[in-house]
Amino acid sequence: MQAVNISHVDVSHAGVASLGTSLPDISQLGVESLWHPMTQHKPLWKTPPPHIVKGDGCTITTADGKSYLDAVAGIWCVNVGYGRQELAEVAYKQMMDLAYLSPTMSHEPGIKLAHKLLNLLDMEGRVYFSSSGSEANEAAFKMVWQYHAQSGKSCAFPRHKIIARHRAYHGNTLGGMSATGQAERKMGYGPIVPGFIHIPPPYPYRRNEHFTPAEHGLEMARTLEETIIHEGAESIAAFIMEPMISGGGVLIPPDEYLPAVRNICSKYGVLLIFDEVVSGFGRTGEMFGHQHWQGVQADIVTFAKGIASGYMPLAATAVRQEIFDAFQGEAGDLSHFRHINTYGGHPVATAVGAKNIQIIEEERLVENSRTLGAYFKSQLAEVFGEHPYVGEIRGKGLLIGIEMVADQKTKEPLETEKVATVIAKTKEEGVLIGRNGNTVPGLANVLVMSPPLIAQQKDIDRVVDALGVGLQSILF
Ligand code: PLP
C-alpha cells in the first residue's frame, strides 16, 4: 500500500475540497483504507466508488461536482431527504444541553419519542431504544425468550423457537442473521443460532397459478400454522416478519395474509413481531407498513432507518404492556431485561428522531409517499410494461421493485450481469437505484427503488428516464 501522509488534512472544513494538494486522489485513498460492506474490493482498484461530499434534498454530490439523484434514499432510510437544517439544529442544541446519558436514566427527548411511537402505533406498552435495526431485532428475540420463561404461560419448557421467512433480512448480528432468510448472507458464517425456522413468504408473482393471489396469501398463512403444529406450538416463541419484504426483493403480500397470520399467532400463543425497519415512517404510504391492514397489531414492533431518517443511528423495539409486565419482579431478582446498549436511546439521536417524525407529519410525507408511489408505479408500467425483461413492477408507496426476468413466460430470472448493467447505466445517467444483491442464489434479479419521501413528480420522471436508458442498454 502506498504510504500516505494525512497530517495536513484540514478537518476544520468538511469535505475533500480542503485536502492538501499533495495527497493522492481521495477516492484512491479510500480504496487503500476502507473496508466497505457488501463489496468485492478487487474491482475497486480500477473504479473506486465516488467520493460523496454533499447531500441536499434527493441529491448527493461527489467531490468533483457530479450529482446523483439518490433513488434508494441511502439504504432506504433518508426519508426526509438530505441537508435538513432543522435536524442539524436539534442535534447541535441537544449536544450542548446533554450530549450523552446512560440509558438506565431518563431524559426528555427519549421520553417524548417513546411516547410518540406508542401513540403512532396505538399501543399501550413500552419502548426499548438501541442504535440499529439488527440490535432492535436482537432485543426483540431476547425479550420473547425471557417473556415466555417468565409469563407463567409456558408448559414444562419455555417456548424458544422463532419462525421467520425466506427472503427476509433481519440484521447482521447473530440473532438477526439467523432470522434472515437469505442464504448468501449466511454462507460461511455458521454455525448460526439454533431454533430459527424459515417458511416461505407470499410471493404472488411466483405463486402456484392454480391459486388466486388471495388463495395464495391464505395458503402461505396456512404454512405458518402447519409449521407451528408440526414443530409443537408449545415450543414456538415468536414469528417475525416484515409487513412487506423489502431488501429481499420487495414482496407485497396479498391483503388476506396479515390478518390470517395475526389470528394464527393468537390461536397458538405465538408472539408476532413486525420488523418495520424499512417499512416504517411513511416508506410504504402509511406511517407503518402493517397499518395498511386495519386492526392488525403486533405484539412487538421494531424500528430503525426512517425513525431518524439516517441522520443519527437510532432504533427501537416497542412491546405491548403485557410483555413488559412479565419483566416486573422484585429488586434483586433476575426477571428484568438484562440487556443494554451504551448508545441506546441516545439523547441526540432521540431528539433528532422526534424532530424527524414531526417533519414527516407536518410535511405530509406519508401522503406524498402514497400518491407519488402510485404515480411512480403507473409511470413504470406505462413506459416499461412491454419491456421483454420486465417481469413484474410492484410496490407500495415509495417502496418499489421491478423483477427482471430472461423470459416472461417461464419467469427465469434475468442473469446477474444484465441486472448489474441496468444499475450501472442508470447511474451513468445520474440516478442511483439498487437491487436485492447477495440474497438468494440466482434470485438477485429485483431492481429496487425507494427515493426520499420528499421527492416530487419531476424526480420520479428523472428516475424513469434514467432507468429507460439502463433498460434499453440490455436489449442489444
Ligand atoms: N430489518 C430490516 C428489514 C432491514 O432491512 C435491515 C437493514 O437493512 C435490518 C433489519 C437491520 O438494520 P441495521 O442495518 O440498522 O442493523
Side-chain angles (χ1 to χ4, degrees):
M1 187 173 122
Q2 198 178 339
V4 170
N5 173 10
I6 55 167
S7 61
H8 59 296
V9 173
D10 178 4
V11 291
S12 63
H13 310 283
V16 70
S18 58
L19 286 168
T21 48
S22 64
L23 278 174
D25 170 25
I26 188 76
S27 298
Q28 197 54 40
L29 195 60
V31 168
E32 292 170 15
S33 54
L34 291 175
W35 189 338
H36 294 282
M38 304 296 297
T39 302
Q40 187 55 270
H41 275 67
K42 223 188 223 172
L44 294 190
W45 284 96
K46 279 199 212 114
T47 40
H51 175 71
I52 306 296
V53 292
K54 179 86 185 149
D56 185 24
C58 295
T59 302
I60 56 174
T61 304
T62 66
D64 47 12
K66 182 161 176 50
S67 289
Y68 295 97
L69 194 164
D70 181 4
V72 276
I75 306 182
W76 341 70
C77 60
V78 190
N79 289 15
V80 299
Y82 295 92
R84 304 291 309 226
Q85 192 171 336
E86 313 93 298
L87 296 184
E89 282 169 359
V90 162
Y92 174 82
K93 180 170 184 318
Q94 187 58 47
M95 277 188 198
M96 297 311 293
D97 287 349
L98 178 69
Y100 177 80
L101 193 70
S102 159
T104 56
M105 297 191 229
S106 307
H107 51 75
E108 192 172 318
I111 295 167
K112 285 189 166 162
L113 181 59
H115 187 68
K116 179 72 186 173
L117 290 174
L118 292 170
N119 255 327
L120 290 172
L121 284 169
D122 195 18
M123 181 190 262
E124 195 188 330
R126 300 289 166 133
V127 175
Y128 179 91
F129 285 116
S130 54
S131 314
S132 70
S134 306
E135 291 170 272
N137 285 334
E138 207 77 15
F141 300 145
K142 286 173 73 175
M143 285 170 183
V144 299
W145 285 330
Q146 197 175 344
Y147 165 80
H148 285 298
Q150 296 179 177
S151 67
K153 289 187 184 165
S154 282
C155 63
F157 312 103
R159 293 169 179 251
H160 67 282
K161 293 178 196 160
I162 292 174
I163 303 178
R165 302 185 303 167
H166 297 149
R167 304 289 288 237
Y169 182 70
H170 294 298
N172 63 4
T173 48
L174 274 178
M177 181 181 70
S178 303
T180 291
Q182 304 176 345
E184 290 191 0
R185 298 290 169 107
K186 297 196 265 195
M187 283 176 190
Y189 301 126
I192 56 169
V193 181
F196 284 85
I197 299 162
H198 292 88
I199 61 171
Y203 194 169
Y205 179 61
R206 291 184 185 276
R207 72 183 187 277
N208 177 337
E209 284 180 4
H210 294 302
F211 293 130
T212 63
E215 288 167 346
H216 168 69
L218 291 172
E219 181 62 13
M220 291 301 100
R222 221 163 60 82
T223 308
L224 171 65
E225 182 161 21
E226 290 199 346
T227 305
I228 293 172
I229 291 168
H230 285 95
E231 288 288 331
E234 294 287 343
S235 73
I236 308 292
F239 176 50
I240 181 166
M241 58 171 284
E242 293 174 86
M244 297 119 202
I245 286 181
S246 47
V250 185
L251 304 184
I252 312 296
D255 281 342
E256 290 70 14
Y257 182 71
L258 258 79
V261 161
R262 176 64 270 180
N263 287 339
I264 291 164
C265 287
S266 300
K267 180 172 168 190
Y268 294 98
V270 171
L271 295 180
L272 177 58
I273 306 170
F274 284 151
D275 177 336
E276 290 270 7
V277 168
V278 170
S279 54
F281 305 97
R283 171 54 56 204
T284 70
E286 291 287 344
M287 182 56 87
F288 302 122
H290 70 270
Q291 291 176 338
H292 285 279
W293 292 273
Q294 273 192 359
V296 176
Q297 296 264 22
D299 300 296
I300 300 182
V301 186
T302 59
F303 307 107
K305 296 192 190 270
I307 191 174
S309 282
Y311 279 69
M312 280 284 155
L314 178 65
T317 308
V319 306
R320 283 196 302 106
Q321 187 65 31
E322 187 208 335
I323 297 174
F324 176 73
D325 285 344
F327 289 73
Q328 299 190 61
E330 299 300 326
D333 71 15
L334 290 178
S335 62
H336 54 290
F337 193 38
R338 283 161 281 111
H339 184 89
I340 187 165
N341 301 78
T342 300
Y343 304 116
H346 194 286
V348 181
T350 47
V352 169
K355 185 71 184 175
N356 168 64
I357 295 173
Q358 192 186 332
I359 292 172
I360 290 174
E361 290 186 323
E362 284 176 1
E363 298 185 6
R364 302 178 63 81
L365 297 184
V366 179
E367 289 81 352
N368 192 49
S369 172
R370 194 181 312 138
T371 51
L372 202 64
Y375 173 75
F376 198 173
K377 264 204 305 186
S378 74
Q379 287 303 103
L380 291 171
E382 193 179 313
V383 183
F384 307 124
E386 303 296 315
H387 191 288
Y389 296 144
V390 169
E392 187 181 49
I393 295 161
R394 55 185 181 241
K396 265 197 196 294
L398 284 171
L399 176 72
I400 305 271
I402 304 180
E403 177 142 3
M404 302 294 294
V405 291
D407 181 316
Q408 293 188 330
K409 275 215 172 63
T410 64
K411 299 186 179 173
E412 181 193 334
L414 188 63
E415 63 240 56
T416 299
E417 293 70 27
K418 283 205 169 116
V419 181
T421 301
V422 175
I423 294 169
K425 292 287 177 195
T426 306
K427 185 175 167 193
E428 279 174 27
E429 294 301 304
V431 172
L432 303 180
I433 60 170
R435 72 159 148 167
N436 60 333
N438 283 160
T439 52
V440 181
L443 279 167
N445 62 325
V446 183
L447 299 172
V448 297
M449 281 149 280
S450 57
L453 309 186
I454 50 152
Q456 299 173 13
Q457 203 161 304
K458 67 177 169 41
D459 301 311
I460 300 304
D461 293 342
R462 207 177 134 211
V463 176
V464 173
D465 287 348
L467 184 58
V469 175
L471 287 172
Q472 182 72 16
S473 74
I474 55 169
L475 283 180
F476 307 106

